[in-house]
């Protein structure tokens, strides 16, 4: 379940967890992180430094075991996030609030995971992005599903996804160091 599910009374990720996966012959692993519950300053979207240290600890264990690590922004879109406020995640609605949230968390992710983190650390910038709507037709993460959105909504959500992605990639590249070429 990864870091995203440590919130839901699941067992904590341990070093033995990575050792067991490595022993089975795997060479890569995805570490899912849901960031929004760990925002401690709503106006600046500051991530709790204790949580960031925990994420770094888990990533470091995986890398020290020789894994390629896919670190993602995991499910910071949720059904009660129709109009995201402060640290409540984002929505593919094109809002400045959503863009500000994503930019702020990625500035912090970039600062935490630059330097000695080489090509074995990969960022998955947005996992299962979705448009949360007021009409209850949220359904699947597949915002382009024919039964969920009309053409105008699909175009708007796609444009928002493109804008957010470009902004995040720019932040990653501009943070320099190994992030300048981070996959």
């Amino acid at each position: 379940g990864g870091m995203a599910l440590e919130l839901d009374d699941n067992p904590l990720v341990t070093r033995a967890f990575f050792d067991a996966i490595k022993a089975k012959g795997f060479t890569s692993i995805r570490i899912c992180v849901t960031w929004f519950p760990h925002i401690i300053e709503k106006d600046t979207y500051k991530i709790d430094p204790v949580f960031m240290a925990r994420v770094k600890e888990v990533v470091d264990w995986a890398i020290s075991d020789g894994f390629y690590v896919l670190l993602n922004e995991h499910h910071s879109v949720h059904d009660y996030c129709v109009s995201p406020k402060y640290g409540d995640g984002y929505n593919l609605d094109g809002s400045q609030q959503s863009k500000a949230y994503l930019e702020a968390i990625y500035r912090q992710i970039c600062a935490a995971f630059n330097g000695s983190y080489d090509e074995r650390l990969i960022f998955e910038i947005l996992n299962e992005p979705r448009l949360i709507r007021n009409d209850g037709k949220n359904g699947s993460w597949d915002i382009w599903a024919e039964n969920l959105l009309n053409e105008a909504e699909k175009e708007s959500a796609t444009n928002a996804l493109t804008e957010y992605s470009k902004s995040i990639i720019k932040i990653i590249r501009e943070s320099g160091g190994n992030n300048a070429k981070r996959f």
Side-chain angles (χ1 to χ4, degrees), residues 81-146:
C81 192
V82 174
S83 297
K85 294 181 180 68
Y86 304 111
D88 289 340
Y90 72 97
N91 194 353
L92 289 184
D93 57 3
S95 71
Q96 186 56 40
Q97 196 70 38
S98 289
K99 185 176 180 188
Y101 166 81
L102 290 168
E103 289 176 348
I105 67 165
Y106 268 97
R107 282 188 190 94
Q108 294 168 81
I109 293 166
C110 286
F113 292 98
N114 206 344
S116 65
Y117 293 92
D118 62 14
E119 73 280 353
R120 292 177 298 157
L121 177 63
I122 301 162
F123 293 158
E124 178 187 5
I125 59 174
L126 296 173
N127 181 72
E128 299 179 7
R130 64 189 91 180
L131 176 66
I132 304 301
R133 302 173 357 169
N134 288 316
D135 61 9
K137 294 182 180 178
N138 301 325
S140 168
W141 62 269
D142 183 359
I143 64 171
W144 297 273
E146 293 300 320

Side-chain angles (χ1 to χ4, degrees), residues 92 126 155-169:
L92 289 184
L126 296 173
E155 182 176 351
S156 177
T158 300
N159 290 341
L161 178 59
T162 300
E163 179 184 346
Y164 297 164
S165 297
K166 285 179 179 179
S167 180
I168 293 166
I169 291 167

